[in-house]
Amino acid sequence: MISSRKATGFLLTALNTLACSYFGNYVFFLLQQQHGFGNRENLLTCALHGLLYIPAAWLGGRFAERHGLTTSLKIGFVGMAVAMLAGGQMESLTGIFVTLLGWTIAMCFTWPALEAFATHGESDDGTKRMVGIYNITWSSGAGLMYFAGGSLFEWLGPRSLFCIPACIFTAQYILTLWLESRPHSPAPPPAPALPHHPEDAAFHQPVPPQTFLKMAWLANPFAYIAIHSFLAVIPGRAQDLALTVAQSGWFWSVWLLARLGTFILLWQWGGWHYRFRWMLAAFIALIASYAVLLLGTSFGLLLAAQVVFGLATGLLYYASLFYSMDVGDTQGEHGGIHEAAIGIGICLGPAVGASALYLVPAQPHAGAFGVTALLLVGLAGLVGLRLRR
């Protein structure tokens, strides 16, 4: 059974995903429609978001570890609510960017804390179970919001990008206050702290568990290089395929739902734990499916590529979070490093894509080629880590 505190933490996770996914994904459509942004400009916007996310997530994880998870959550929810309320009052491009930056910083106080909250105080087996529930919770929200977000954007108008998240963040703050007021379960008598050890499978491999953690921290940013280089150009891809905003949400949510299915599978089956071949296969599949998503024109082929993309990104993300929680004791700080690594991907991929488009403006696929080359560099780095003794 899940305790009421854990259940509340998962509810906060679901709400956070809904609000952040709506604003973070559909702001690119707002920038396209109201300010004439193309692929280059949207990629640069995403890169700026990621550049700020890197230090903010690392500091957010350290803050949560030192000052308490609920304290970090309250700061994050209030900060995001204020950013959205301010953004809702400003129509200018500057106002959108101020909102984006404020939201990014505040958000980084929430994800490391929510990840640590899910596994805090758990046994080794409990950690695996809670990581699975956490991943299913947030990925469900991400898939649902991307599917429905385009329709909300069309029906309620662009201002809903600010109003709906502001309401959700405010509700999360109130829920966190209620969580703090709830009495904790009676604490057991103090006992000597036992060191946390990775699961047994970690010690039957040619490389130590710390190397798997490093490989996961390398691979997951490259997954986010692909994810955000793709998300930033979805408005352009939708335009090429003659999709409305609502239709784009329905069509491009397939990979998110495939990622959700992957999380469920990996939660129930642990045979991939500390097995390099699974991480390698996912990385290769990531590169191939990304190229198809950016260059393909057949709806059938794009649907198949989305399924493969969801499988690949799901395994690489799950590996990063699982190893972050399974190797070591500082879960809040490790959660911050996990999120900071995501920020590297969010920044680096779009930055390379935008740079390629600026350098070769006559080639509309220059960004896709540049990011694919970057992903191949990541694949070489992953193999290099595995071969290094």
Side-chain angles (χ1 to χ4, degrees):
M1 293 293 291
I2 301 175
S3 69
S4 60
R5 287 183 62 80
K6 292 285 184 182
T8 304
F10 290 131
L11 176 58
L12 289 171
T13 298
L15 292 172
N16 215 41
T17 306
L18 291 172
C20 292
S21 295
Y22 187 41
F23 177 77
N25 290 327
Y26 283 93
V27 70
F28 297 118
F29 283 96
L30 176 67
L31 291 170
Q32 180 201 49
Q33 293 183 2
Q34 295 194 354
H35 300 283
F37 274 35
N39 287 342
R40 285 189 312 186
E41 294 79 14
N42 272 340
L43 284 165
L44 280 177
T45 301
C46 192
L48 177 62
H49 162 64
L51 183 64
L52 191 58
Y53 196 101
I54 299 167
W58 181 71
L59 292 172
R62 290 174 62 88
F63 183 91
E65 189 71 35
R66 286 158 176 73
H67 300 283
L69 303 181
T70 54
T71 300
S72 186
L73 290 173
K74 288 189 295 183
I75 291 173
F77 296 146
V78 167
M80 289 192 290
V82 169
M84 292 297 140
L85 289 171
Q89 305 302 314
M90 296 183 284
E91 300 281 348
S92 66
L93 180 61
T94 300
I96 294 175
F97 273 89
V98 169
T99 301
L100 181 68
L101 297 181
W103 166 72
T104 299
I105 294 172
M107 178 174 55
C108 291
F109 283 88
T110 63
W111 288 122
L114 288 168
E115 289 160 6
F117 195 90
T119 57
H120 184 70
E122 295 290 333
S123 64
D124 292 350
D125 288 338
T127 294
K128 300 180 187 66
R129 178 168 173 259
M130 291 302 166
V131 168
I133 296 173
Y134 173 83
N135 281 338
I136 291 169
T137 300
W138 76 258
S139 60
S140 299
L144 173 64
M145 183 50 79
Y146 205 94
F147 180 84
S151 300
L152 289 175
F153 187 90
E154 287 189 353
W155 295 341
L156 302 178
R159 291 297 101 189
S160 65
L161 278 181
F162 306 95
C163 300
I164 291 176
C167 293
I168 294 176
F169 295 140
T170 302
Q172 286 177 283
Y173 177 75
I174 295 170
L175 188 57
T176 306
L177 292 178
W178 175 83
L179 181 64
E180 280 190 320
S181 69
R182 297 276 294 172
H184 290 229
S185 301
L194 296 176
H196 172 79
H197 296 292
E199 66 175 55
D200 187 60
F203 302 102
H204 297 280
Q205 302 300 323
V207 295
Q210 289 77 12
T211 299
F212 276 94
L213 177 60
K214 292 175 183 176
M215 287 191 293
W217 280 350
L218 170 71
N220 194 42
F222 278 92
Y224 273 82
I225 282 173
I227 289 171
H228 282 268
S229 298
F230 171 49
L231 288 174
V233 302
I234 280 182
R237 291 254 63 199
Q239 194 172 53
D240 295 339
L241 297 169
L243 297 174
T244 66
V245 179
Q247 290 169 342
S248 180
W250 303 333
F251 182 72
W252 296 116
S253 65
V254 170
W255 78 269
L256 292 156
L257 299 175
R259 183 174 64 179
L260 168 60
T262 304
F263 284 158
I264 295 172
L265 174 63
L266 298 179
W267 176 40
Q268 296 299 318
W269 176 67
W272 61 274
H273 293 176
Y274 299 100
R275 302 291 194 277
F276 174 70
R277 60 180 176 272
W278 287 100
M279 200 180 298
L280 177 64
F283 209 120
I284 294 171
L286 173 78
I287 298 172
S289 58
Y290 171 79
V292 173
L293 289 175
L294 270 289
L295 303 175
T297 56
S298 162
F299 281 100
L301 186 61
L302 289 171
L303 284 172
Q306 284 193 72
V307 173
V308 176
F309 194 68
L311 289 168
T313 55
L315 191 145
L316 295 177
Y317 178 90
Y318 207 125
S320 178
L321 185 55
F322 173 76
Y323 295 138
S324 292
M325 298 296 116
D326 196 53
V327 182
D329 296 300
T330 54
Q331 293 167 328
E333 194 162 338
H334 272 191
I337 296 172
H338 163 81
E339 289 295 328
I342 288 174
I344 293 172
I346 295 173
C347 174
L348 189 57
V352 168
S355 299
L357 287 170
Y358 275 107
L359 290 172
V360 194
Q363 173 51 262
H365 300 308
F369 296 146
V371 174
T372 301
L374 181 61
L375 293 175
L376 290 170
V377 171
L379 178 62
L382 182 68
V383 174
L385 273 176
R386 172 61 179 80
L387 296 178
R388 191 177 67 186
R389 299 289 177 173

